[in-house]
């Protein structure tokens, strides 16, 4: 199988929570998406840690985030079911919420791999669903356009963006099955720490304020992915989902550049992304603007 097909297959196996072959001669999902060559043996990279620079209070915040990023989705959990209901109502408000215990084909329209959405959260856990809800409720108009066009499975793509951040920023211990994106410095970790700590302080009275920075990063990452993918489709009509890894790769590169410039606050972070996006993406709503809704609770 050529690298492009293998990359696409591994990416969606990761979303489904199915571990592809690993070890000598095989690739992890993100390695595939980034066009890496199969390893002939074990390879080691420098492990960067938050403890190298973060203050005790910042470390406490990071550990609070880490303690919840490993939470698995449970269809029997009422709080988790409520998040699914919120997602449906934001994405398809004109249709009645289906029985969550039964398959429904419209979940595929939202971008899940099959008619039972819970199977897609095996890799990203409840954080993947939380991010879907955040994006759907803050950027409803954009989501409606994405779903109407059906150019890619939005839910699966969003979950991939969540996994990129969780892995790249080392927010899950142990690391998920998707291998970390190579990182040569700790600038990314520093930038995220300062953004998360600053947002938590600025919104200390807001519930789940520790998630604000990551929620914004995710939403902006999905916008960037959508823009880059649509750009590819317009430039080359032969483009199909087998090329989706390239849009993921480009999105990761943009995220790297922006984080390493160390935006001072959420508005600066949002502006850095919007400077690289067409005006249509700047709806003046959501995190990083004056219109900040309460975030979905992880509890």
């Amino acid at each position: 199988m050529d690298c492009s097909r293998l990359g696409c297959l591994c990416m969606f196996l990761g979303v489904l929570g199915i571990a592809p072959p690993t070890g000598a001669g095989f690739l992890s999902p993100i390695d595939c998406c980034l066009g890496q060559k199969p390893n002939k043996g074990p390879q080691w990279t420098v492990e960067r840690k938050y403890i190298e620079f973060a203050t005790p209070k910042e470390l406490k915040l990071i550990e609070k985030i880490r303690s919840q990023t490993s939470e698995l989705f449970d269809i029997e959990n009422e709080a988790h079911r409520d998040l699914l209901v919120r997602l449906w109502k934001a994405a398809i408000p004109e249709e009645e919420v289906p029985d969550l215990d039964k398959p429904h084909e419209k979940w595929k329209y939202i971008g899940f791999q099959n008619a039972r959405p819970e199977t897609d959260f095996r890799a990203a856990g409840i954080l993947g669903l939380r991010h879907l809800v955040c994006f759907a409720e803050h950027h409803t108009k954009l989501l409606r356009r994405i779903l109407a066009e059906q150019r890619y499975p939005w839910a699966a793509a969003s979950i991939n963006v969540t996994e990129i951040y969780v892995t790249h920023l080392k927010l899950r211990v142990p690391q998920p099955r998707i291998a970390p994106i190579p990182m040569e410095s700790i600038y990314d970790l520093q930038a995220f720490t300062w953004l998360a700590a600053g947002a938590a302080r600025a919104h200390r009275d807001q519930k789940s304020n520790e998630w604000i920075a990551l929620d914004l990063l995710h939403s902006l990452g999905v916008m960037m992915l959508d823009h880059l993918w649509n750009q590819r489709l317009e430039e080359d009509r032969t483009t199909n989902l087998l090329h989706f890894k390239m849009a993921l790769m480009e999105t990761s590169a943009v995220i790297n550049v922006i984080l390493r410039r160390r935006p001072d606050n959420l508005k600066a972070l949002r502006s850095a992304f919007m400077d690289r996006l067409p005006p249509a993406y700047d709806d003046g709503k959501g995190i990083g603007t004056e219109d900040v809704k309460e975030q979905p609770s992880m509890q």
Side-chain angles (χ1 to χ4, degrees):
M1 185 182 293
D2 64 60
C3 186
S4 109
R5 290 177 182 270
L6 182 60
C8 190
L9 172 62
C10 288
M11 177 183 70
F12 285 107
L13 282 176
V15 171
L16 292 171
I18 302 172
T22 56
F26 294 102
L27 294 175
S28 65
I30 286 294
D31 286 334
C32 292
C33 291
L34 295 178
Q36 301 295 323
K37 301 296 184 182
N39 296 329
K40 295 182 179 180
Q43 291 186 349
W44 303 93
T45 57
V46 176
E47 177 72 12
R48 297 297 187 180
K49 299 179 180 179
Y50 286 94
I51 199 171
E52 294 181 36
F53 61 86
T55 66
K57 183 174 286 189
E58 289 171 342
L59 283 174
K60 185 177 181 180
L61 176 66
I62 295 300
E63 288 308 314
K64 186 176 182 181
I65 294 173
R66 278 178 165 176
S67 69
Q68 298 182 65
T69 54
S70 298
E71 183 181 356
L72 301 177
F73 177 82
D74 180 5
I75 192 62
E76 302 300 325
N77 184 310
E78 283 303 319
H80 296 184
R81 294 170 71 91
D82 287 345
L83 284 175
L84 269 182
V85 170
R86 286 173 62 177
L87 174 60
W88 181 280
K89 289 181 175 179
I92 321 177
E94 65 277 7
E95 297 200 20
E96 184 179 353
V97 178
D99 184 341
L100 299 182
D101 296 316
K102 297 179 181 178
H104 196 289
E105 287 299 308
K106 274 289 187 177
W107 289 115
K108 293 182 181 179
Y109 172 78
I110 295 175
F112 290 99
Q113 300 299 293
N114 58 56
R116 298 192 73 97
E118 63 266 26
T119 60
D120 282 31
F121 299 118
R122 291 172 184 164
I126 190 61
L127 182 61
L129 175 55
R130 172 199 164 79
H131 278 164
L132 287 168
V133 174
C134 267
F135 189 93
E137 291 186 343
H138 284 112
H139 306 287
T140 306
K141 183 178 179 180
L142 174 57
L143 175 59
R144 301 285 174 77
R145 190 266 290 166
I146 292 172
L147 295 183
E149 292 175 347
Q150 290 290 300
R151 291 185 167 186
Y152 60 93
W154 171 73
S158 171
I159 291 170
N160 267 271
V161 173
T162 295
E163 280 293 282
I164 286 174
Y165 279 118
V166 167
T167 305
H168 188 51
L169 298 174
K170 302 182 184 297
L171 295 176
R172 186 177 301 158
V173 181
Q175 286 282 289
R177 289 171 178 158
I178 294 180
I181 298 171
M183 185 162 51
E184 298 177 355
S185 74
I186 62 173
Y187 292 155
D188 307 68
L189 304 185
Q190 287 178 322
F192 173 70
T193 300
W194 295 334
L195 285 168
R201 287 193 301 271
H203 302 275
R204 60 174 58 89
D205 297 328
Q206 184 173 319
K207 188 177 181 181
S208 302
N209 59 19
E210 69 271 17
W211 295 103
I212 294 176
L214 187 58
D215 291 343
L216 178 58
L217 278 166
H218 168 267
S219 291
L220 294 171
V222 172
M223 290 182 191
M224 184 60 64
L225 177 60
D226 178 76
H227 166 59
L228 293 172
W229 179 241
N230 284 331
Q231 194 173 59
R232 282 185 165 273
L233 290 173
E234 292 169 4
E235 292 174 354
D236 184 356
R237 293 187 179 276
T238 66
T239 298
N240 56 57
L241 283 176
L242 292 178
H243 305 108
F244 198 74
K245 67 183 181 69
M246 298 304 296
L248 275 172
M249 178 178 173
E250 291 171 9
T251 301
S252 298
V254 172
I255 291 168
N256 258 344
V257 169
I258 291 175
L259 283 178
R260 293 187 184 188
R261 290 184 178 178
R262 305 186 194 185
D264 295 332
N265 51 52
L266 298 187
K267 285 190 176 182
L269 175 66
R270 190 175 187 277
S271 295
F273 274 88
M274 290 303 166
D275 287 345
R276 293 166 171 79
L277 290 168
Y281 287 90
D282 190 358
D283 55 11
K285 298 180 179 180
I287 310 165
T289 68
E290 295 301 320
D291 178 22
V292 181
K293 297 181 182 179
E294 181 176 318
Q295 306 307 299
S297 174
M298 292 287 287
Q299 303 303 319

